[in-house]
Amino acid sequence: MEYSEVEVKLKEIEELLDKLGKEHPKEIAAFSRFLRETLDNKALTTREKELIALALGISAGCEWCIYLHTQKALEAGAKPEELIEAGLVAVLMAGGPALMHLIPLMKAIEKFEKE
């Protein structure tokens, strides 16, 4: 079975966290706790926070972040139009390079809409 680029990147995240979790368990556990606490519903919903994380991933040029936070935002109830709008805010703030990172966003939306 051939894996899509999206699936490959998500698998790479999983493999990295597994490896680092074994080699640096305290650090990865602390990061994981921080991640869960930060993304939990408080003043902002998890959906809103995932859209922010997506925009920041686009502006930082992190394809792994784009794929992961697209998936997580959709799981939290975001609509594809909201993902695109978050991406365009990233482009507004980060310029042309961020615009090119809407390519992995579009790939991720297409892949997750099929599931």
Side-chain angles (χ1 to χ4, degrees), residues 19-34:
K19 181 174 177 54
L20 291 176
K22 291 174 185 153
E23 295 175 6
H24 303 278
K26 287 182 181 179
E27 294 89 337
I28 296 305
F31 179 78
S32 294
R33 281 191 308 276
F34 178 68

Side-chain angles (χ1 to χ4, degrees), residues 61-77:
C62 176
E63 287 186 43
W64 294 267
C65 301
I66 295 166
Y67 295 138
L68 178 65
H69 293 293
T70 296
Q71 180 183 42
K72 297 296 183 185
L74 288 167
E75 289 173 357

Side-chain angles (χ1 to χ4, degrees), residues 91 95-104:
V91 172
L99 180 63
M100 296 303 102
H101 282 90
L102 293 186
I103 294 168

Side-chain angles (χ1 to χ4, degrees), residues 4-6 54 58 62-63 65-71 74 79-88 91 98-114:
S4 73
E5 181 178 345
V6 176
L54 172 62
I58 290 168
C62 176
E63 287 186 43
C65 301
I66 295 166
Y67 295 138
L68 178 65
H69 293 293
T70 296
Q71 180 183 42
L74 288 167
K79 300 193 175 4
E81 307 83 50
E82 293 174 305
L83 300 169
I84 300 297
E85 196 167 322
L88 291 172
V91 172
L99 180 63
M100 296 303 102
H101 282 90
L102 293 186
I103 294 168
L105 172 61
M106 302 302 281
K107 288 178 182 178
I109 291 171
E110 181 180 324
K111 190 242 182 292
F112 295 125
E113 281 186 319
K114 290 179 182 176

Side-chain angles (χ1 to χ4, degrees), residues 9-20:
K9 296 285 188 193
L10 292 174
K11 183 76 172 151
E12 288 173 345
I13 294 169
E14 185 181 317
E15 290 169 354
L16 174 68
L17 292 176
D18 285 345
K19 181 174 177 54
L20 291 176

